[in-house]
Amino acid sequence: MSGAALGIEIVVVFFLALFLLHRYGDFKKQQRMVLFGTLLAWYLCFLIVFILPLDVSTVMYKRCATSRGATSLMASCQCSGGWCTGPLSASRGQYEFSCVVRLLLPFMQSYARSGGFSITGKIKTALIENAIYYGTYLLIFGSLLIYVAVHPELHLSWYGLQTIGITAANTWGLFLLVLLLGYGLVEIPRSYWNASRHGHLLIKTYFKASKLMTEKADAEENLEDVMEEVRKVSESIKYNHPLRKYIDTILRKCPLDYQEKMGRNMDDYEDFDDKQNTYPTEKSLVKLHKQVIYAVQRHNRTRVQWQILLQQAIHLEDVAKNETSSTHQFVHSFPSSEPAGWFSRYIYTPTVEWYWECFLKRWFYRLLAIVLTLFSVVVVWSECTFFSTRPVLSLFAIFIQLAERDYNYLYIEMACFITIFFLCTCVYSTVFRIRVFNYYYLASHHQTDAYSLQFSGMLFCRLTPPLCLNFLGLIHMDSTISHQEKLQTAYTSIMGSMRVLSFIANGFYIYYPMLIVILCIATYFSLGTRCLNLLGFQQFMDDSEMTSDLIDEGKELIRREKRKKQRIEDGENRRREWKERYGNPREDYAARNRSSHEMKETSYSDTVSSSNSRQAKYSRSGSRAERDRIELLHDAEPLDFNADALTDDPPDAESGRHSGGRYLSMSSSRSRIFDDV
């Protein structure tokens, strides 16, 4: 049974990681190595988290089978109570492979961020950057190794050295885990509660619009400066310069309109030796290449985010208008031009949409916020009391132990799954929410750069091991907490126990998670937001005068964009209306004129041909004037010629004259008067 559950989890987790990567990354433009590394990191971290409940139930099953002296699988199945679980041999390979990915991700991140033009140059840059990163790990590992060496009661072994290395890596991860978890436990329930307040959500959207417009203008200005630098370098380095191939690589990363401008102003027939110019070095071109990639990506991201934020603001304004509607029909300010599908016609009708957007959605978010708040309170209580084994105060440990006594392994797996899923939601959602200036930012709709994707994968790999250890401590499945020599999980056998280092196992590992209470209080009162606001970083605060000014500015920006969008839509509607009203009579009238014109032209050509043949009997050579007269008669058009029949045809390539030239003014004005409307 556990084999089927494991197979389902592997498939579901893979598609979950693939969906998130498709939402934040760009499969068409980004490097395959970046996408593969990020997908592998996310997939392994999610898989470890979702496999851990099966790992816990398997260990409890084995403990039951061992205590009863079961020697065969059929006899040991009596302990499962109908839910027989088997060993998870695949979990060990997943844990070991995750450690390898964790070591390779920083190198892949530096490689993708490098502005080098060759593979060798990128590898060299990545090695130099990661020398500092791995040197920090070696410093921590060396300090812990010296601590173990100076204490004779601690015996060094390969297992001990492995535990020291893992402890050095997990110490920083645990520090970061508590910070992110303390923020997520408060912010996630509050975000759903605020989502039920449409007025609060609308003014916050106005605030975001004002800030995003400033960032968008700054990104456009930065792109202009970088493109100007590229233009100067491109004009100085001509086609026969050795560095010209690097310039071509940089130009391919520029937007198309800038490429056309630079191509028109470029004179490739000048030799670079004719003028004594100062040419850039390869190192400066690498730096410029890196700046171009960053500027273009930032400009595209702000442009897409502005369109998305504009749609959100318009939708929230529509919700505010429809709340007072007596018809209970949801009306959009800008209806979609695409035809409605079967879901919108039969299921999600305007009436259903009104009840959901204006009534049910609000109460659903409030109920969800209350449930998440209760989960957060349970997590905070268990984090502060999980070190107590007699009596057991951790609520998660109490639930798991009660299920173990009843041999209800299905309940154990479900309880473990819900618990660790909530912890992962609080931690991982914070990773997707936080933004470190423009250095790290996960933007949806395929707007995340390669560096942020790799950095998020590296953060997941750092946070997942201490998160799993913390979860095992909450349910007393870690020997460091339980102080019992029992069968350990496959995860603990790989990651090791922190009992080798007593000051970490009995001090930092137990008491540091208690700081989560202080972090939750600070997050509830928005102390971090207030500090950033005092430092000059504009943050959304209800009682701030600067926030009110930005809200008013954002409201005006949204109103201006709505007027612009309304003018565009009105123009399209007018053109569509006139096309539907006058399109078919105009085509029929042109077709009748075309047929009559062809009939007259055919009869006239036959007359001219017969006249020409009769004259050829009496004069074989003919005069040049007569031939010119016949050609003019061939080119002549009938008086009832309509120019609309030939307006779509290109000019005659051989004669170089427009068809129907001098009869253009005689066409019906009724068929042309609305073309420019």
Side-chain angles (χ1 to χ4, degrees):
M1 192 70 178
S2 63
L6 179 62
I8 294 174
E9 287 187 354
I10 289 175
V11 175
V12 171
V13 168
F14 175 77
F15 282 104
L16 174 62
L18 190 64
F19 168 76
L20 291 176
L21 184 61
H22 177 265
R23 177 176 175 81
Y24 290 92
D26 193 345
F27 289 168
K28 296 180 180 180
K29 297 181 180 180
Q30 289 177 338
Q31 301 178 9
R32 295 294 180 266
M33 186 190 70
V34 174
L35 298 174
F36 177 75
T38 306
L39 177 63
L40 190 61
W42 290 2
Y43 171 66
L44 290 177
C45 292
F46 294 160
L47 189 60
I48 289 173
V49 168
F50 286 106
I51 281 180
L52 198 58
L54 292 176
D55 195 0
V56 171
S57 64
T58 300
V59 170
M60 291 186 175
Y61 164 78
K62 290 182 178 179
R63 289 178 182 177
C64 173
T66 303
S67 62
R68 292 197 173 191
T71 57
S72 63
L73 182 63
M74 294 300 296
S76 61
C77 285
Q78 298 176 358
C79 300
S80 63
W83 180 261
C84 182
T85 58
L88 294 176
S89 58
S91 60
R92 179 179 295 269
Q94 300 291 341
Y95 298 151
E96 292 176 349
F97 194 63
S98 65
C99 297
V100 177
V101 175
R102 184 177 179 180
L103 294 175
L104 292 178
L105 268 179
F107 176 81
M108 299 171 64
Q109 181 185 19
S110 300
Y111 180 89
R113 190 187 181 188
S114 174
F117 299 99
S118 61
I119 298 178
T120 305
K122 291 183 178 182
I123 292 176
K124 181 180 178 181
T125 304
L127 290 176
I128 294 175
E129 291 182 357
N130 283 275
I132 302 175
Y133 173 78
Y134 290 114
T136 305
Y137 272 95
L138 291 177
L139 180 62
I140 299 176
F141 177 77
S143 302
L144 296 176
L145 187 63
I146 294 174
Y147 172 81
V148 175
V150 296
H151 288 75
E153 67 274 7
L154 299 177
H155 301 285
L156 287 177
S157 61
W158 171 247
Y159 178 77
L161 291 176
Q162 180 184 0
T163 305
I164 292 174
I166 295 175
T167 303
N170 290 340
T171 301
W172 164 249
L174 182 62
F175 174 78
L176 187 62
L177 172 69
V178 173
L179 294 178
L180 299 181
L181 186 60
Y183 176 82
L185 288 174
V186 176
E187 189 61 29
I188 290 180
R190 183 164 59 184
S191 64
Y192 282 103
W193 182 265
N194 291 333
S196 64
R197 302 163 55 195
H198 292 161
H200 177 272
L201 202 60
L202 183 58
I203 62 174
K204 192 172 183 179
T205 304
Y206 290 149
F207 177 82
K208 291 180 180 179
S210 179
K211 290 189 62 177
L212 185 59
M213 177 56 70
T214 304
E215 183 182 357
K216 183 172 177 289
D218 184 55
E220 292 175 353
E221 183 180 355
N222 183 32
L223 181 63
E224 291 285 347
D225 295 339
V226 174
M227 291 299 105
E228 180 64 22
E229 185 68 22
V230 173
R231 184 190 63 80
K232 293 179 180 179
V233 174
S234 178
E235 291 179 355
S236 63
I237 298 179
K238 302 302 178 182
Y239 72 99
N240 54 350
H241 196 282
L243 298 178
R244 183 62 199 181
K245 57 182 180 180
Y246 301 146
I247 298 297
D248 295 337
T249 303
I250 295 176
L251 290 177
R252 284 193 294 268
K253 302 295 179 62
C254 300
L256 294 177
D257 51 349
Y258 288 99
Q259 292 183 22
E260 295 175 357
K261 292 179 182 179
M262 296 176 188
R264 288 194 299 265
N265 298 330
M266 181 73 181
D267 186 7
D268 284 341
Y269 296 98
E270 294 183 11
D271 291 337
F272 69 93
D273 292 331
D274 292 342
K275 298 179 181 180
Q276 298 297 328
N277 295 330
T278 302
Y279 299 104
T281 61
E282 183 178 353
K283 186 176 181 180
S284 62
L285 291 180
V286 169
K287 183 179 179 181
L288 181 62
H289 186 204
K290 191 174 181 179
Q291 292 176 353
V292 168
I293 295 174
Y294 170 75
V296 172
Q297 197 278 332
R298 184 187 176 194
H299 175 262
N300 295 334
R301 173 172 55 82
T302 53
R303 179 173 53 83
V304 173
Q305 285 180 334
W306 173 253
Q307 297 297 329
I308 297 172
L309 189 63
L310 178 62
Q311 294 177 2
Q312 293 177 356
I314 294 175
H315 176 72
L316 291 174
E317 290 180 349
D318 291 344
V319 172
K321 292 178 182 178
N322 284 274
E323 283 181 346
T324 57
S325 175
S326 59
T327 60
H328 294 179
Q329 297 281 332
F330 197 89
V331 180
H332 294 272
S333 300
F334 300 95
S336 177
S337 58
E338 299 179 358
W342 66 270
F343 183 77
S344 300
R345 289 197 304 266
Y346 301 107
I347 299 178
Y348 197 63
T349 60
T351 304
V352 176
E353 185 177 4
W354 186 90
Y355 277 103
W356 168 250
E357 293 289 345
C358 301
F359 182 73
L360 296 177
K361 187 177 181 179
R362 175 184 304 175
W363 291 103
F364 173 75
Y365 279 162
R366 289 179 180 178
L367 179 61
L368 183 60
I370 293 174
V371 173
L372 293 177
T373 302
L374 295 178
F375 266 99
S376 298
V377 172
V378 173
V379 171
V380 172
W381 171 262
S382 300
E383 290 285 354
C384 296
T385 59
F386 75 94
F387 61 89
S388 176
T389 57
R390 293 182 182 180
V392 179
L393 299 179
S394 175
L395 296 180
F396 296 116
I398 293 175
F399 296 152
I400 297 301
Q401 290 179 5
L402 289 176
E404 185 180 7
R405 294 171 187 172
D406 297 335
Y407 308 112
N408 193 345
Y409 298 103
L410 176 60
Y411 174 80
I412 291 175
E413 292 185 8
M414 295 302 299
C416 291
F417 175 80
I418 295 174
T419 303
I420 199 169
F421 180 77
F422 179 72
L423 294 176
C424 290
T425 303
C426 294
V427 176
Y428 292 160
S429 63
T430 308
V431 174
F432 284 97
R433 286 168 179 257
I434 61 175
R435 176 178 180 179
V436 185
F437 302 103
N438 290 315
Y439 177 78
Y440 168 76
Y441 182 38
L442 289 176
S444 59
H445 296 82
H446 322 292
Q447 299 303 315
T448 306
D449 60 335
Y451 182 82
S452 297
L453 286 176
Q454 297 280 355
F455 191 78
S456 66
M458 193 163 57
L459 276 179
F460 281 5
C461 291
R462 289 178 180 176
L463 292 171
T464 301
L467 175 64
C468 294
L469 288 176
N470 182 257
F471 167 73
L472 293 176
L474 291 178
I475 62 176
H476 292 181
M477 289 294 293
D478 190 0
S479 59
T480 306
I481 303 300
S482 62
H483 302 287
Q484 297 177 359
E485 297 296 335
K486 291 184 178 181
L487 183 63
Q488 299 297 316
T489 60
Y491 182 84
T492 307
S493 63
I494 294 297
M495 293 300 176
S497 177
M498 293 187 179
R499 297 175 64 182
V500 178
L501 303 174
S502 59
F503 75 96
I504 292 181
N506 300 326
F508 180 79
Y509 180 59
I510 292 179
Y511 297 105
Y512 178 72
M514 294 182 182
L515 293 178
I516 200 171
V517 178
I518 301 177
L519 293 173
C520 289
I521 295 174
T523 305
Y524 179 79
F525 290 102
S526 303
L527 296 182
T529 302
R530 298 180 186 275
C531 292
L532 290 175
N533 195 38
L534 291 176
L535 293 176
F537 300 98
Q538 299 169 351
Q539 301 294 319
F540 181 78
M541 298 178 60
D542 297 331
D543 54 351
S544 175
E545 183 178 355
M546 179 63 70
T547 302
S548 301
D549 295 339
L550 291 176
I551 290 174
D552 295 337
E553 181 182 351
K555 186 183 299 184
E556 182 61 30
L557 289 173
I558 297 298
R559 187 181 297 113
R560 185 189 310 167
E561 293 293 331
K562 287 181 65 176
R563 289 197 300 266
K564 185 189 302 183
K565 189 173 182 179
Q566 186 67 46
R567 287 195 300 268
I568 296 174
E569 186 171 342
D570 291 342
E572 292 178 354
N573 291 335
R574 285 196 299 268
R575 283 191 292 270
R576 189 183 304 111
E577 181 181 354
W578 289 115
K579 183 178 180 181
E580 292 176 355
R581 183 177 300 178
Y582 297 102
N584 294 333
R586 176 179 173 181
E587 293 177 359
D588 296 339
Y589 183 70
R592 289 195 300 269
N593 286 337
R594 188 183 302 112
S595 60
S596 61
H597 162 62
E598 291 176 354
M599 292 175 62
K600 292 182 179 181
E601 185 179 14
T602 303
S603 61
Y604 193 79
S605 300
D606 295 339
T607 304
V608 173
S609 300
S610 60
S611 175
N612 190 16
S613 61
R614 286 194 300 269
Q615 291 180 3
K617 295 180 181 179
Y618 302 98
S619 177
R620 299 182 59 88
S621 60
S623 63
R624 182 177 182 86
E626 185 68 13
R627 289 197 300 268
D628 294 340
R629 184 179 66 82
I630 295 174
E631 290 179 0
L632 289 174
L633 291 175
H634 275 293
D635 292 339
E637 302 290 350
L639 293 178
D640 59 346
F641 170 73
N642 185 13
D644 292 339
L646 296 174
T647 52
D648 296 333
D649 296 333
D652 190 5
E654 297 178 359
S655 63
R657 293 173 294 184
H658 192 277
S659 301
R662 69 188 188 97
Y663 293 100
L664 185 61
S665 60
M666 298 179 62
S667 60
S668 177
S669 61
R670 182 179 59 184
S671 61
R672 303 288 295 179
I673 191 172
F674 298 110
D675 287 354
D676 295 332
V677 176

